[in-house]
Amino acid sequence: MTALDLSSPVAVVGTGTMGQGIAQVALVAGHPVRLYDAAAGRARDAAAAIGARLDRLVEKGKLPGTDRDAARARLQPVESLIELADCGLVVEAVLERLDVKQELFGALEDIVADDCLLATNTSSLSVTAIGGPLRHPGRLVGLHFFNPAPLMPLVEVVSGFATDVTSATRAYETARSWGKTPVACADTPGFIVNRIARPFYAEAFAVHEAQAADPATIDAILRESGGFRMGAFELTDLIGQDVNESVTHSVWQSFFQDVRFTPSLAQRRLVESGRLGRKTGHGWYDHAEGAERPEPHTADKEQPPAYVVAEGGLGPAAELLTLIREAGIQVREEDEDNGTRLVLPSGGQLVLADGQTGVEFRDVVYFDLALDYRTATRVALSASPDTSPRTLAEATGLFQALGKDVSVIGDVPGMIVARTVARIIDLAHDAVAKGVATEEDIDTAMRLGVNYPVGPFEWDRRLGREFAFDVLDEMHERDPSGRYAPSLALYRHAYAVEDRREGTS
């Protein structure tokens, strides 16, 4: 099955921001495009707005003027659905209400040809449910574009329970012919991106609710240590707190209130107060003109230790040993199976976040996971009230000697980056095990859809197959609500290691 022929008209129903973006993508790809909106005059206004954006592309040298003129000639706003009768593809981008979408596709089914492909751009509703009332639900597929559609490369191609393979394939190939990067996924709540991305927000909010760190500090750690382009608080302010919370609530409800997807009470209060982010001038941050952006907590300068004793290879943090030596600090190594700790001159230990808490041990400082310890510009430390000030000072001075800013947060299990990444990896394995998508498509979706520095499976390979399971298993022991219980898929993945399979029982 090949992509839709360029001579075949594409219709977009719903001319809001997303509808206009999808129409522009199809138009620039070379299709005739019809625009329809139930509100009188909106289709004409949308056509004018698209034309203005094409003009700006010409001004920036990104589109030849002749191509702009040809595209304008192919763009047609229409006043009734009947004018979409000869279209080969109709993409719906209307209100996120199941009844509205079902009614629309029911009307379209009586108008378009039997071989016309029907697509919904829903981000939160079930494709299966949308197509349920249709006489021929096999031709309905999800085409989930990301905003802004002309710029974002990812398109999730969602197969409902009744979607024909030929329909899904045609939609996939059409998206690819439009210059997009499509990924195939089953009809599951949140699809790929909105399902697997939930912990990125949820764990940041949970750390804040535990009063372990403020939003600016959490955001800085996610960016400067985790390698994420934006932190959870600044990103949800950009998206809109109401929009982000709505998606979270939809996924939670669709999974029968699964505790792994529980919404944040702190975010709920933010929405109730009308602080929705940039669009209202205030969210987690104050976005009023001239407002000062809060700075992340950064520790005062401390003296580095003269030496450290490395017990084991530090696992995912092994590169730190090289960095410490390069900083002129002596490293004394002691063999220790699966060791992930440094012993400081104080006698205290510096341990990679493992899902446990400092209060459980005599004198421990935890340090958070980093995407790349060499390039990270900030590292988070956590200590309990019982940790000696000298141990914390030595740990702080050590990372400062490596050129890192240091943020000291409260004694929360898994810290910030480690718990977030572990949960993302877990949901990714769970999705593959349940047939939602392939590992490759999940990695692609998370990199292109939400700009993650690496996909969850690539991160899993970097960390070692046991890391995410071990962190979550320890966190589950400390919070037995089920929120951090590793999935069966992650359990199987972690234990599929040769040295753990010496026999059976």
Side-chain angles (χ1 to χ4, degrees):
M1 179 62 67
T2 57
L4 191 69
D5 190 88
L6 286 179
S7 64
S8 185
V10 172
V12 177
V13 179
T15 59
T17 300
M18 186 58 73
Q20 290 181 32
I22 295 169
Q24 182 179 329
V25 170
L27 190 66
V28 172
H31 288 274
V33 173
R34 313 269 171 80
L35 290 174
Y36 172 79
D37 199 292
R42 282 192 182 174
R44 290 193 303 273
D45 293 343
I50 293 169
R53 283 197 291 273
L54 295 178
D55 289 341
R56 288 195 291 273
L57 289 176
V58 173
E59 292 168 4
K60 295 177 180 178
K62 296 182 178 181
L63 183 72
T66 53
D67 289 355
R68 184 264 319 274
D69 296 341
R72 280 181 175 274
R74 293 193 302 271
L75 181 61
Q76 179 186 359
V78 300
E79 297 298 327
S80 67
L81 288 177
I82 198 70
E83 296 178 78
L84 310 182
D86 64 337
C87 290
L89 167 64
V90 180
V91 183
E92 165 273 313
V94 301
L95 189 67
E96 280 287 273
R97 274 181 44 188
L98 181 61
D99 59 335
V100 173
K101 294 177 188 291
Q102 287 177 333
E103 182 180 352
L104 170 63
F105 282 114
L108 286 169
E109 196 172 34
D110 293 332
I111 293 170
V112 298
D114 289 344
D115 61 350
C116 176
L117 185 64
L118 302 178
T120 173
N121 183 57
T122 184
S123 61
S124 60
L125 299 176
S126 164
V127 174
T128 302
I130 293 171
L134 295 178
R135 295 190 303 274
H136 304 291
R139 62 169 163 170
L140 178 72
V141 65
L143 274 180
H144 181 214
F145 289 78
F146 288 75
N147 193 30
L151 298 180
M152 295 294 284
L154 184 71
V155 177
E156 292 177 320
V157 181
V158 186
S159 293
F161 186 78
T163 302
D164 293 334
V165 172
T166 53
S167 298
T169 303
R170 169 155 285 186
Y172 185 98
E173 293 299 332
T174 298
R176 186 158 64 177
S177 74
W178 290 356
K180 297 302 181 182
T181 302
V183 292
C185 65
D187 184 20
T188 185
F191 309 139
I192 297 175
V193 172
N194 281 330
R195 172 180 178 150
I196 295 173
R198 293 347 294 162
F200 178 74
Y201 313 107
E203 294 312 307
F205 298 162
V207 171
H208 174 55
E209 289 173 350
Q211 301 187 58
D214 60 275
T217 299
I218 297 171
D219 277 353
I221 291 165
L222 286 168
R223 289 193 315 268
E224 299 175 42
S225 184
F228 294 96
R229 185 166 297 183
M230 298 180 74
F233 297 91
E234 57 190 340
L235 181 55
T236 52
D237 265 4
L238 176 63
I239 295 169
Q241 298 302 329
D242 53 339
V243 174
N244 182 260
E245 195 217 21
S246 176
V247 173
T248 298
H249 197 271
S250 175
V251 172
W252 175 61
Q253 289 282 24
S254 297
F255 276 116
F256 309 104
Q257 300 186 357
D258 186 330
V259 69
R260 295 176 302 166
F261 301 101
T262 301
S264 162
L265 180 59
Q267 187 179 40
R268 175 91 290 263
R269 292 292 179 258
L270 207 63
V271 173
E272 289 174 339
S273 71
R275 294 187 170 191
L276 306 183
R278 292 189 182 184
K279 61 187 177 183
T280 62
H282 207 304
W284 295 110
Y285 298 107
D286 185 351
H287 298 280
E289 186 176 353
E292 289 188 19
R293 181 68 176 265
E295 293 294 325
H297 167 75
T298 302
D300 293 335
K301 187 70 175 176
E302 300 285 357
Q303 288 296 314
Y307 69 90
V308 295
V309 178
E311 294 185 352
L314 291 191
E319 189 176 21
L320 281 177
L321 298 179
T322 301
L323 299 178
I324 292 169
R325 290 189 179 96
E326 290 175 358
I329 298 171
Q330 182 185 4
V331 177
R332 304 172 186 173
E333 295 191 57
E334 294 184 1
D335 291 335
E336 183 83 15
D337 290 341
N338 299 317
T340 54
R341 63 183 59 85
L342 297 171
V343 180
L344 299 165
S346 66
Q349 297 181 58
L350 185 57
V351 182
L352 175 62
D354 59 7
Q356 300 182 81
T357 56
V359 74
E360 301 169 52
F361 305 97
R362 183 181 63 81
D363 195 12
V364 165
V365 171
Y366 277 102
F367 66 94
D368 207 352
L369 183 67
L371 174 68
D372 183 333
Y373 283 101
R374 181 172 292 277
T375 59
T377 57
R378 183 178 298 271
V379 171
L381 302 179
S382 71
S384 79
D386 296 331
T387 302
S388 77
R390 180 184 171 191
T391 295
L392 181 57
E394 288 179 345
T396 301
L398 175 65
F399 280 103
Q400 289 173 339
L402 307 185
K404 319 297 182 188
D405 287 329
V406 173
S407 292
V408 180
I409 69 169
D411 185 22
V412 287
M415 300 191 67
I416 296 170
V417 179
R419 69 197 284 170
T420 300
V421 170
R423 288 208 59 215
I424 289 170
I425 289 171
D426 181 51
L427 291 186
H429 277 283
D430 184 55
V432 170
K434 292 176 178 172
V436 174
T438 65
E439 291 186 8
E440 181 181 2
D441 276 356
I442 287 175
D443 271 2
T444 298
M446 302 313 290
R447 285 188 296 101
L448 300 184
V450 278
N451 289 313
Y452 283 8
V454 294
F457 290 99
E458 182 180 347
W459 213 328
D460 188 36
R461 288 188 290 272
R462 290 185 181 198
L463 297 174
R465 64 196 309 154
E466 301 171 48
F467 180 83
F469 175 84
D470 288 345
V471 168
L472 294 180
D473 195 40
E474 294 288 359
M475 292 188 69
H476 177 55
E477 184 176 331
R478 287 150 185 81
D479 177 2
S481 65
R483 179 186 179 107
Y484 300 103
S487 66
L488 180 58
L490 188 64
Y491 177 88
R492 287 172 170 160
H493 171 71
Y495 277 85
V497 183
E498 287 300 325
D499 61 6
R500 287 189 174 182
R501 304 181 67 181
E502 297 173 353
T504 58
S505 57

